[in-house]
PDB file of all heavy atoms in Angstrom:
ATOM      1  N   THR C 247      14.762   7.581 -14.408  1.00 94.00           N
ATOM      2  CA  THR C 247      13.739   8.684 -14.158  1.00 94.00           C
ATOM      3  C   THR C 247      13.249   8.455 -12.693  1.00 94.00           C
ATOM      4  O   THR C 247      12.662   7.467 -12.367  1.00 94.00           O
ATOM      5  CB  THR C 247      12.579   8.557 -15.112  1.00 94.00           C
ATOM      6  OG1 THR C 247      13.115   8.623 -16.454  1.00 94.00           O
ATOM      7  CG2 THR C 247      11.628   9.794 -14.902  1.00 94.00           C
ATOM      8  N   ILE C 248      13.438   9.549 -11.874  1.00 97.00           N
ATOM      9  CA  ILE C 248      12.909   9.453 -10.536  1.00 97.00           C
ATOM     10  C   ILE C 248      11.581  10.097 -10.474  1.00 97.00           C
ATOM     11  O   ILE C 248      10.598   9.509  -9.882  1.00 97.00           O
ATOM     12  CB  ILE C 248      13.925  10.144  -9.539  1.00 97.00           C
ATOM     13  CG1 ILE C 248      15.258   9.369  -9.532  1.00 97.00           C
ATOM     14  CG2 ILE C 248      13.306  10.245  -8.123  1.00 97.00           C
ATOM     15  CD1 ILE C 248      16.400  10.120  -8.895  1.00 97.00           C
ATOM     16  N   ILE C 249      11.428  11.233 -11.097  1.00 98.00           N
ATOM     17  CA  ILE C 249      10.108  11.893 -11.132  1.00 98.00           C
ATOM     18  C   ILE C 249       9.641  12.126 -12.548  1.00 98.00           C
ATOM     19  O   ILE C 249      10.397  12.757 -13.304  1.00 98.00           O
ATOM     20  CB  ILE C 249      10.181  13.255 -10.396  1.00 98.00           C
ATOM     21  CG1 ILE C 249      10.679  13.091  -8.897  1.00 98.00           C
ATOM     22  CG2 ILE C 249       8.822  14.018 -10.474  1.00 98.00           C
ATOM     23  CD1 ILE C 249      10.866  14.361  -8.195  1.00 98.00           C
ATOM     24  N   ALA C 250       8.521  11.673 -12.874  1.00 98.00           N
ATOM     25  CA  ALA C 250       7.908  11.935 -14.188  1.00 98.00           C
ATOM     26  C   ALA C 250       6.627  12.704 -13.891  1.00 98.00           C
ATOM     27  O   ALA C 250       5.758  12.248 -13.072  1.00 98.00           O
ATOM     28  CB  ALA C 250       7.613  10.664 -14.941  1.00 98.00           C
ATOM     29  N   GLU C 251       6.497  13.911 -14.543  1.00 97.00           N
ATOM     30  CA  GLU C 251       5.322  14.736 -14.316  1.00 97.00           C
ATOM     31  C   GLU C 251       4.365  14.655 -15.505  1.00 97.00           C
ATOM     32  O   GLU C 251       4.829  14.734 -16.647  1.00 97.00           O
ATOM     33  CB  GLU C 251       5.739  16.133 -14.082  1.00 97.00           C
ATOM     34  CG  GLU C 251       4.609  17.105 -13.782  1.00 97.00           C
ATOM     35  CD  GLU C 251       5.032  18.543 -13.584  1.00 97.00           C
ATOM     36  OE1 GLU C 251       6.236  18.810 -13.549  1.00 97.00           O
ATOM     37  OE2 GLU C 251       4.124  19.406 -13.409  1.00 97.00           O
ATOM     38  N   TYR C 252       3.107  14.563 -15.263  1.00 97.00           N
ATOM     39  CA  TYR C 252       2.144  14.530 -16.363  1.00 97.00           C
ATOM     40  C   TYR C 252       1.063  15.547 -16.119  1.00 97.00           C
ATOM     41  O   TYR C 252       0.728  15.865 -15.012  1.00 97.00           O
ATOM     42  CB  TYR C 252       1.470  13.089 -16.361  1.00 97.00           C
ATOM     43  CG  TYR C 252       2.427  11.974 -16.577  1.00 97.00           C
ATOM     44  CD1 TYR C 252       3.089  11.404 -15.551  1.00 97.00           C
ATOM     45  CD2 TYR C 252       2.743  11.529 -17.870  1.00 97.00           C
ATOM     46  CE1 TYR C 252       4.041  10.380 -15.730  1.00 97.00           C
ATOM     47  CE2 TYR C 252       3.618  10.546 -18.030  1.00 97.00           C
ATOM     48  CZ  TYR C 252       4.279   9.948 -17.024  1.00 97.00           C
ATOM     49  OH  TYR C 252       5.158   9.003 -17.179  1.00 97.00           O
ATOM     50  N   GLU C 253       0.596  16.086 -17.236  1.00 97.00           N
ATOM     51  CA  GLU C 253      -0.511  17.070 -17.170  1.00 97.00           C
ATOM     52  C   GLU C 253      -1.857  16.289 -17.246  1.00 97.00           C
ATOM     53  O   GLU C 253      -2.299  15.938 -18.268  1.00 97.00           O
ATOM     54  CB  GLU C 253      -0.441  18.002 -18.399  1.00 97.00           C
ATOM     55  CG  GLU C 253       0.659  19.088 -18.243  1.00 97.00           C
ATOM     56  CD  GLU C 253       0.464  19.905 -17.000  1.00 97.00           C
ATOM     57  OE1 GLU C 253      -0.651  20.256 -16.626  1.00 97.00           O
ATOM     58  OE2 GLU C 253       1.564  20.129 -16.355  1.00 97.00           O
ATOM     59  N   GLY C 254      -2.403  16.057 -16.104  1.00 95.00           N
ATOM     60  CA  GLY C 254      -3.701  15.401 -16.062  1.00 95.00           C
ATOM     61  C   GLY C 254      -4.671  16.450 -15.650  1.00 95.00           C
ATOM     62  O   GLY C 254      -4.514  17.711 -15.748  1.00 95.00           O
ATOM     63  N   THR C 255      -5.854  15.999 -15.087  1.00 95.00           N
ATOM     64  CA  THR C 255      -6.873  16.956 -14.599  1.00 95.00           C
ATOM     65  C   THR C 255      -6.271  17.720 -13.412  1.00 95.00           C
ATOM     66  O   THR C 255      -6.664  18.875 -13.131  1.00 95.00           O
ATOM     67  CB  THR C 255      -8.087  16.197 -14.144  1.00 95.00           C
ATOM     68  OG1 THR C 255      -7.694  15.009 -13.320  1.00 95.00           O
ATOM     69  CG2 THR C 255      -8.895  15.613 -15.306  1.00 95.00           C
ATOM     70  N   VAL C 256      -5.257  17.161 -12.707  1.00 94.00           N
ATOM     71  CA  VAL C 256      -4.379  17.924 -11.860  1.00 94.00           C
ATOM     72  C   VAL C 256      -2.982  17.417 -12.194  1.00 94.00           C
ATOM     73  O   VAL C 256      -2.835  16.337 -12.822  1.00 94.00           O
ATOM     74  CB  VAL C 256      -4.644  17.711 -10.330  1.00 94.00           C
ATOM     75  CG1 VAL C 256      -6.060  18.145 -10.005  1.00 94.00           C
ATOM     76  CG2 VAL C 256      -4.404  16.226  -9.976  1.00 94.00           C
ATOM     77  N   PRO C 257      -1.888  18.121 -11.832  1.00 96.00           N
ATOM     78  CA  PRO C 257      -0.553  17.577 -12.063  1.00 96.00           C
ATOM     79  C   PRO C 257      -0.412  16.243 -11.406  1.00 96.00           C
ATOM     80  O   PRO C 257      -0.758  16.037 -10.216  1.00 96.00           O
ATOM     81  CB  PRO C 257       0.360  18.612 -11.484  1.00 96.00           C
ATOM     82  CG  PRO C 257      -0.432  19.891 -11.423  1.00 96.00           C
ATOM     83  CD  PRO C 257      -1.884  19.498 -11.211  1.00 96.00           C
ATOM     84  N   PHE C 258       0.118  15.292 -12.153  1.00 96.00           N
ATOM     85  CA  PHE C 258       0.219  13.925 -11.645  1.00 96.00           C
ATOM     86  C   PHE C 258       1.691  13.521 -11.705  1.00 96.00           C
ATOM     87  O   PHE C 258       2.378  13.620 -12.732  1.00 96.00           O
ATOM     88  CB  PHE C 258      -0.616  12.907 -12.442  1.00 96.00           C
ATOM     89  CG  PHE C 258      -0.526  11.511 -12.063  1.00 96.00           C
ATOM     90  CD1 PHE C 258      -1.380  11.024 -11.052  1.00 96.00           C
ATOM     91  CD2 PHE C 258       0.375  10.642 -12.565  1.00 96.00           C
ATOM     92  CE1 PHE C 258      -1.301   9.706 -10.585  1.00 96.00           C
ATOM     93  CE2 PHE C 258       0.435   9.242 -12.159  1.00 96.00           C
ATOM     94  CZ  PHE C 258      -0.403   8.835 -11.169  1.00 96.00           C
ATOM     95  N   TYR C 259       2.241  13.040 -10.580  1.00 97.00           N
ATOM     96  CA  TYR C 259       3.699  12.653 -10.555  1.00 97.00           C
ATOM     97  C   TYR C 259       3.822  11.200 -10.289  1.00 97.00           C
ATOM     98  O   TYR C 259       3.223  10.646  -9.372  1.00 97.00           O
ATOM     99  CB  TYR C 259       4.326  13.441  -9.323  1.00 97.00           C
ATOM    100  CG  TYR C 259       4.291  14.900  -9.486  1.00 97.00           C
ATOM    101  CD1 TYR C 259       3.214  15.678  -8.965  1.00 97.00           C
ATOM    102  CD2 TYR C 259       5.319  15.605 -10.259  1.00 97.00           C
ATOM    103  CE1 TYR C 259       3.176  17.019  -9.179  1.00 97.00           C
ATOM    104  CE2 TYR C 259       5.234  16.935 -10.396  1.00 97.00           C
ATOM    105  CZ  TYR C 259       4.193  17.670  -9.865  1.00 97.00           C
ATOM    106  OH  TYR C 259       4.150  19.034 -10.048  1.00 97.00           O
ATOM    107  N   HIS C 260       4.556  10.551 -11.180  1.00 98.00           N
ATOM    108  CA  HIS C 260       4.946   9.165 -11.014  1.00 98.00           C
ATOM    109  C   HIS C 260       6.405   9.190 -10.491  1.00 98.00           C
ATOM    110  O   HIS C 260       7.274   9.617 -11.205  1.00 98.00           O
ATOM    111  CB  HIS C 260       4.787   8.450 -12.341  1.00 98.00           C
ATOM    112  CG  HIS C 260       5.396   7.033 -12.310  1.00 98.00           C
ATOM    113  ND1 HIS C 260       5.740   6.379 -13.421  1.00 98.00           N
ATOM    114  CD2 HIS C 260       5.600   6.146 -11.277  1.00 98.00           C
ATOM    115  CE1 HIS C 260       6.234   5.193 -13.087  1.00 98.00           C
ATOM    116  NE2 HIS C 260       6.099   5.045 -11.819  1.00 98.00           N
ATOM    117  N   ILE C 261       6.504   8.689  -9.285  1.00 98.00           N
ATOM    118  CA  ILE C 261       7.907   8.819  -8.607  1.00 98.00           C
ATOM    119  C   ILE C 261       8.389   7.369  -8.297  1.00 98.00           C
ATOM    120  O   ILE C 261       7.624   6.502  -7.893  1.00 98.00           O
ATOM    121  CB  ILE C 261       7.770   9.623  -7.284  1.00 98.00           C
ATOM    122  CG1 ILE C 261       7.261  10.957  -7.651  1.00 98.00           C
ATOM    123  CG2 ILE C 261       9.035   9.581  -6.506  1.00 98.00           C
ATOM    124  CD1 ILE C 261       6.744  11.858  -6.459  1.00 98.00           C
ATOM    125  N   ASP C 262       9.675   7.125  -8.664  1.00 98.00           N
ATOM    126  CA  ASP C 262      10.222   5.836  -8.458  1.00 98.00           C
ATOM    127  C   ASP C 262      11.562   6.052  -7.547  1.00 98.00           C
ATOM    128  O   ASP C 262      12.532   6.595  -8.013  1.00 98.00           O
ATOM    129  CB  ASP C 262      10.544   5.201  -9.772  1.00 98.00           C
ATOM    130  CG  ASP C 262      10.968   3.773  -9.651  1.00 98.00           C
ATOM    131  OD1 ASP C 262      11.416   3.323  -8.528  1.00 98.00           O
ATOM    132  OD2 ASP C 262      10.932   3.019 -10.588  1.00 98.00           O
ATOM    133  N   LEU C 263      11.452   5.553  -6.347  1.00 97.00           N
ATOM    134  CA  LEU C 263      12.619   5.800  -5.386  1.00 97.00           C
ATOM    135  C   LEU C 263      13.641   4.711  -5.503  1.00 97.00           C
ATOM    136  O   LEU C 263      14.583   4.736  -4.663  1.00 97.00           O
ATOM    137  CB  LEU C 263      12.036   5.917  -3.990  1.00 97.00           C
ATOM    138  CG  LEU C 263      10.976   7.028  -3.727  1.00 97.00           C
ATOM    139  CD1 LEU C 263      10.503   7.003  -2.276  1.00 97.00           C
ATOM    140  CD2 LEU C 263      11.599   8.384  -4.097  1.00 97.00           C
ATOM    141  N   TYR C 264      13.522   3.805  -6.442  1.00 96.00           N
ATOM    142  CA  TYR C 264      14.419   2.646  -6.428  1.00 96.00           C
ATOM    143  C   TYR C 264      15.896   3.034  -6.359  1.00 96.00           C
ATOM    144  O   TYR C 264      16.633   2.325  -5.610  1.00 96.00           O
ATOM    145  CB  TYR C 264      14.132   1.793  -7.682  1.00 96.00           C
ATOM    146  CG  TYR C 264      15.009   0.542  -7.769  1.00 96.00           C
ATOM    147  CD1 TYR C 264      14.757  -0.472  -6.825  1.00 96.00           C
ATOM    148  CD2 TYR C 264      15.950   0.332  -8.736  1.00 96.00           C
ATOM    149  CE1 TYR C 264      15.493  -1.639  -6.910  1.00 96.00           C
ATOM    150  CE2 TYR C 264      16.644  -0.799  -8.810  1.00 96.00           C
ATOM    151  CZ  TYR C 264      16.489  -1.805  -7.831  1.00 96.00           C
ATOM    152  OH  TYR C 264      17.231  -2.903  -7.945  1.00 96.00           O
ATOM    153  N   ARG C 265      16.298   3.982  -7.033  1.00 96.00           N
ATOM    154  CA  ARG C 265      17.724   4.378  -7.079  1.00 96.00           C
ATOM    155  C   ARG C 265      18.121   5.286  -5.969  1.00 96.00           C
ATOM    156  O   ARG C 265      19.342   5.728  -5.975  1.00 96.00           O
ATOM    157  CB  ARG C 265      18.070   4.976  -8.481  1.00 96.00           C
ATOM    158  CG  ARG C 265      18.141   3.853  -9.395  1.00 96.00           C
ATOM    159  CD  ARG C 265      18.303   4.242 -10.867  1.00 96.00           C
ATOM    160  NE  ARG C 265      18.090   3.050 -11.578  1.00 96.00           N
ATOM    161  CZ  ARG C 265      19.021   2.123 -11.698  1.00 96.00           C
ATOM    162  NH1 ARG C 265      20.289   2.268 -11.239  1.00 96.00           N
ATOM    163  NH2 ARG C 265      18.744   0.998 -12.358  1.00 96.00           N
ATOM    164  N   LEU C 266      17.270   5.700  -5.095  1.00 96.00           N
ATOM    165  CA  LEU C 266      17.697   6.600  -4.024  1.00 96.00           C
ATOM    166  C   LEU C 266      17.815   5.838  -2.719  1.00 96.00           C
ATOM    167  O   LEU C 266      17.098   4.922  -2.418  1.00 96.00           O
ATOM    168  CB  LEU C 266      16.645   7.711  -3.889  1.00 96.00           C
ATOM    169  CG  LEU C 266      16.380   8.562  -5.204  1.00 96.00           C
ATOM    170  CD1 LEU C 266      15.323   9.593  -4.926  1.00 96.00           C
ATOM    171  CD2 LEU C 266      17.675   9.252  -5.603  1.00 96.00           C
ATOM    172  N   ASP C 267      18.787   6.218  -1.935  1.00 92.00           N
ATOM    173  CA  ASP C 267      19.155   5.447  -0.790  1.00 92.00           C
ATOM    174  C   ASP C 267      18.794   6.014   0.585  1.00 92.00           C
ATOM    175  O   ASP C 267      18.671   5.333   1.476  1.00 92.00           O
ATOM    176  CB  ASP C 267      20.647   5.104  -0.852  1.00 92.00           C
ATOM    177  CG  ASP C 267      20.978   4.137  -1.899  1.00 92.00           C
ATOM    178  OD1 ASP C 267      20.175   3.254  -2.157  1.00 92.00           O
ATOM    179  OD2 ASP C 267      22.051   4.329  -2.552  1.00 92.00           O
ATOM    180  N   ASP C 268      18.615   7.284   0.667  1.00 94.00           N
ATOM    181  CA  ASP C 268      18.238   7.849   1.950  1.00 94.00           C
ATOM    182  C   ASP C 268      17.320   9.051   1.783  1.00 94.00           C
ATOM    183  O   ASP C 268      17.087   9.556   0.688  1.00 94.00           O
ATOM    184  CB  ASP C 268      19.509   8.249   2.719  1.00 94.00           C
ATOM    185  CG  ASP C 268      20.413   9.135   1.961  1.00 94.00           C
ATOM    186  OD1 ASP C 268      19.935   9.906   1.136  1.00 94.00           O
ATOM    187  OD2 ASP C 268      21.670   9.047   2.159  1.00 94.00           O
ATOM    188  N   ILE C 269      16.805   9.503   2.929  1.00 94.00           N
ATOM    189  CA  ILE C 269      15.799  10.558   2.890  1.00 94.00           C
ATOM    190  C   ILE C 269      16.430  11.835   2.292  1.00 94.00           C
ATOM    191  O   ILE C 269      15.750  12.584   1.619  1.00 94.00           O
ATOM    192  CB  ILE C 269      15.320  10.827   4.329  1.00 94.00           C
ATOM    193  CG1 ILE C 269      14.385   9.643   4.774  1.00 94.00           C
ATOM    194  CG2 ILE C 269      14.479  12.130   4.412  1.00 94.00           C
ATOM    195  CD1 ILE C 269      13.126   9.492   3.951  1.00 94.00           C
ATOM    196  N   ARG C 270      17.734  12.027   2.597  1.00 95.00           N
ATOM    197  CA  ARG C 270      18.386  13.289   2.098  1.00 95.00           C
ATOM    198  C   ARG C 270      18.351  13.297   0.578  1.00 95.00           C
ATOM    199  O   ARG C 270      18.082  14.324  -0.077  1.00 95.00           O
ATOM    200  CB  ARG C 270      19.805  13.264   2.547  1.00 95.00           C
ATOM    201  CG  ARG C 270      20.408  14.678   2.658  1.00 95.00           C
ATOM    202  CD  ARG C 270      21.872  14.516   2.968  1.00 95.00           C
ATOM    203  NE  ARG C 270      22.565  15.386   2.005  1.00 95.00           N
ATOM    204  CZ  ARG C 270      23.401  16.370   2.348  1.00 95.00           C
ATOM    205  NH1 ARG C 270      23.579  16.561   3.621  1.00 95.00           N
ATOM    206  NH2 ARG C 270      23.968  17.115   1.506  1.00 95.00           N
ATOM    207  N   SER C 271      18.708  12.206  -0.062  1.00 96.00           N
ATOM    208  CA  SER C 271      18.734  12.161  -1.519  1.00 96.00           C
ATOM    209  C   SER C 271      17.304  12.267  -2.093  1.00 96.00           C
ATOM    210  O   SER C 271      17.095  12.810  -3.168  1.00 96.00           O
ATOM    211  CB  SER C 271      19.446  10.937  -2.033  1.00 96.00           C
ATOM    212  OG  SER C 271      18.838   9.735  -1.622  1.00 96.00           O
ATOM    213  N   ILE C 272      16.308  11.782  -1.345  1.00 97.00           N
ATOM    214  CA  ILE C 272      14.954  11.841  -1.789  1.00 97.00           C
ATOM    215  C   ILE C 272      14.490  13.308  -1.737  1.00 97.00           C
ATOM    216  O   ILE C 272      13.847  13.796  -2.672  1.00 97.00           O
ATOM    217  CB  ILE C 272      14.105  10.915  -0.869  1.00 97.00           C
ATOM    218  CG1 ILE C 272      14.335   9.438  -1.184  1.00 97.00           C
ATOM    219  CG2 ILE C 272      12.536  11.193  -1.080  1.00 97.00           C
ATOM    220  CD1 ILE C 272      13.723   8.499  -0.226  1.00 97.00           C
ATOM    221  N   GLU C 273      14.917  13.982  -0.693  1.00 96.00           N
ATOM    222  CA  GLU C 273      14.578  15.347  -0.556  1.00 96.00           C
ATOM    223  C   GLU C 273      15.256  16.225  -1.600  1.00 96.00           C
ATOM    224  O   GLU C 273      14.564  16.997  -2.269  1.00 96.00           O
ATOM    225  CB  GLU C 273      15.120  15.772   0.861  1.00 96.00           C
ATOM    226  CG  GLU C 273      14.419  16.981   1.411  1.00 96.00           C
ATOM    227  CD  GLU C 273      14.701  17.047   2.938  1.00 96.00           C
ATOM    228  OE1 GLU C 273      15.788  16.483   3.363  1.00 96.00           O
ATOM    229  OE2 GLU C 273      13.924  17.609   3.694  1.00 96.00           O
ATOM    230  N   GLU C 274      16.534  15.850  -1.955  1.00 97.00           N
ATOM    231  CA  GLU C 274      17.249  16.658  -2.957  1.00 97.00           C
ATOM    232  C   GLU C 274      16.703  16.446  -4.346  1.00 97.00           C
ATOM    233  O   GLU C 274      16.750  17.348  -5.167  1.00 97.00           O
ATOM    234  CB  GLU C 274      18.709  16.286  -2.921  1.00 97.00           C
ATOM    235  CG  GLU C 274      19.416  16.991  -1.735  1.00 97.00           C
ATOM    236  CD  GLU C 274      20.881  16.453  -1.518  1.00 97.00           C
ATOM    237  OE1 GLU C 274      21.326  15.573  -2.248  1.00 97.00           O
ATOM    238  OE2 GLU C 274      21.476  16.941  -0.553  1.00 97.00           O
ATOM    239  N   ALA C 275      16.099  15.241  -4.614  1.00 97.00           N
ATOM    240  CA  ALA C 275      15.469  14.977  -5.867  1.00 97.00           C
ATOM    241  C   ALA C 275      14.223  15.759  -6.085  1.00 97.00           C
ATOM    242  O   ALA C 275      13.692  15.865  -7.169  1.00 97.00           O
ATOM    243  CB  ALA C 275      15.256  13.488  -6.028  1.00 97.00           C
ATOM    244  N   GLY C 276      13.681  16.314  -4.983  1.00 97.00           N
ATOM    245  CA  GLY C 276      12.493  17.144  -5.081  1.00 97.00           C
ATOM    246  C   GLY C 276      11.208  16.415  -4.928  1.00 97.00           C
ATOM    247  O   GLY C 276      10.107  16.891  -5.258  1.00 97.00           O
ATOM    248  N   VAL C 277      11.331  15.284  -4.378  1.00 96.00           N
ATOM    249  CA  VAL C 277      10.066  14.382  -4.146  1.00 96.00           C
ATOM    250  C   VAL C 277       9.028  15.044  -3.324  1.00 96.00           C
ATOM    251  O   VAL C 277       7.814  15.076  -3.639  1.00 96.00           O
ATOM    252  CB  VAL C 277      10.504  13.027  -3.620  1.00 96.00           C
ATOM    253  CG1 VAL C 277       9.259  12.214  -3.100  1.00 96.00           C
ATOM    254  CG2 VAL C 277      11.357  12.217  -4.678  1.00 96.00           C
ATOM    255  N   PHE C 278       9.432  15.725  -2.352  1.00 95.00           N
ATOM    256  CA  PHE C 278       8.493  16.253  -1.367  1.00 95.00           C
ATOM    257  C   PHE C 278       7.735  17.424  -2.016  1.00 95.00           C
ATOM    258  O   PHE C 278       6.560  17.741  -1.576  1.00 95.00           O
ATOM    259  CB  PHE C 278       9.063  16.633  -0.014  1.00 95.00           C
ATOM    260  CG  PHE C 278       9.559  15.402   0.704  1.00 95.00           C
ATOM    261  CD1 PHE C 278      10.914  15.197   0.885  1.00 95.00           C
ATOM    262  CD2 PHE C 278       8.644  14.445   1.119  1.00 95.00           C
ATOM    263  CE1 PHE C 278      11.364  14.029   1.509  1.00 95.00           C
ATOM    264  CE2 PHE C 278       9.141  13.315   1.798  1.00 95.00           C
ATOM    265  CZ  PHE C 278      10.514  13.121   1.940  1.00 95.00           C
ATOM    266  N   GLU C 279       8.285  18.105  -3.006  1.00 95.00           N
ATOM    267  CA  GLU C 279       7.537  19.181  -3.672  1.00 95.00           C
ATOM    268  C   GLU C 279       6.432  18.642  -4.575  1.00 95.00           C
ATOM    269  O   GLU C 279       5.573  19.406  -5.021  1.00 95.00           O
ATOM    270  CB  GLU C 279       8.536  20.014  -4.570  1.00 95.00           C
ATOM    271  CG  GLU C 279       9.271  21.064  -3.855  1.00 95.00           C
ATOM    272  CD  GLU C 279      10.701  20.601  -3.558  1.00 95.00           C
ATOM    273  OE1 GLU C 279      10.905  19.873  -2.569  1.00 95.00           O
ATOM    274  OE2 GLU C 279      11.594  20.890  -4.314  1.00 95.00           O
ATOM    275  N   CYS C 280       6.432  17.317  -4.818  1.00 95.00           N
ATOM    276  CA  CYS C 280       5.394  16.746  -5.598  1.00 95.00           C
ATOM    277  C   CYS C 280       4.160  16.320  -4.800  1.00 95.00           C
ATOM    278  O   CYS C 280       3.189  15.812  -5.341  1.00 95.00           O
ATOM    279  CB  CYS C 280       5.893  15.490  -6.332  1.00 95.00           C
ATOM    280  SG  CYS C 280       7.366  15.804  -7.327  1.00 95.00           S
ATOM    281  N   ILE C 281       4.224  16.588  -3.529  1.00 93.00           N
ATOM    282  CA  ILE C 281       3.178  16.182  -2.636  1.00 93.00           C
ATOM    283  C   ILE C 281       2.475  17.388  -2.141  1.00 93.00           C
ATOM    284  O   ILE C 281       3.117  18.359  -1.632  1.00 93.00           O
ATOM    285  CB  ILE C 281       3.763  15.372  -1.458  1.00 93.00           C
ATOM    286  CG1 ILE C 281       4.335  14.081  -1.959  1.00 93.00           C
ATOM    287  CG2 ILE C 281       2.684  15.100  -0.385  1.00 93.00           C
ATOM    288  CD1 ILE C 281       5.062  13.198  -0.885  1.00 93.00           C
ATOM    289  N   GLY C 282       1.191  17.501  -2.241  1.00 89.00           N
ATOM    290  CA  GLY C 282       0.494  18.664  -1.636  1.00 89.00           C
ATOM    291  C   GLY C 282      -0.860  18.838  -2.255  1.00 89.00           C
ATOM    292  O   GLY C 282      -1.174  18.167  -3.201  1.00 89.00           O
ATOM    293  N   PRO C 283      -1.534  19.846  -1.812  1.00 89.00           N
ATOM    294  CA  PRO C 283      -2.902  20.110  -2.298  1.00 89.00           C
ATOM    295  C   PRO C 283      -2.828  20.404  -3.792  1.00 89.00           C
ATOM    296  O   PRO C 283      -1.919  21.105  -4.233  1.00 89.00           O
ATOM    297  CB  PRO C 283      -3.367  21.368  -1.524  1.00 89.00           C
ATOM    298  CG  PRO C 283      -2.299  21.579  -0.435  1.00 89.00           C
ATOM    299  CD  PRO C 283      -1.116  20.823  -0.825  1.00 89.00           C
ATOM    300  N   GLY C 284      -3.840  19.933  -4.529  1.00 91.00           N
ATOM    301  CA  GLY C 284      -3.939  20.227  -5.938  1.00 91.00           C
ATOM    302  C   GLY C 284      -3.032  19.402  -6.798  1.00 91.00           C
ATOM    303  O   GLY C 284      -2.945  19.600  -7.997  1.00 91.00           O
ATOM    304  N   LYS C 285      -2.295  18.485  -6.138  1.00 94.00           N
ATOM    305  CA  LYS C 285      -1.383  17.573  -6.969  1.00 94.00           C
ATOM    306  C   LYS C 285      -1.753  16.195  -6.577  1.00 94.00           C
ATOM    307  O   LYS C 285      -2.278  15.937  -5.508  1.00 94.00           O
ATOM    308  CB  LYS C 285       0.073  17.838  -6.591  1.00 94.00           C
ATOM    309  CG  LYS C 285       0.532  19.277  -6.787  1.00 94.00           C
ATOM    310  CD  LYS C 285       1.934  19.420  -6.124  1.00 94.00           C
ATOM    311  CE  LYS C 285       2.353  20.901  -6.248  1.00 94.00           C
ATOM    312  NZ  LYS C 285       3.711  21.030  -5.636  1.00 94.00           N
TER     313      LYS C 285
END
Side-chain angles (χ1 to χ4, degrees):
T247 305
I248 294 164
I249 300 175
E251 182 179 357
Y252 299 88
E253 285 303 318
T255 47
V256 301
F258 180 85
Y259 298 90
H260 170 202
I261 298 168
D262 190 339
L263 302 180
Y264 183 64
R265 283 172 190 281
L266 299 179
D267 290 322
D268 51 33
I269 290 295
R270 205 190 132 121
S271 58
I272 291 171
E273 209 161 21
E274 283 170 2
V277 169
F278 295 113
E279 278 100 276
C280 303
I281 296 176
K285 302 171 184 179

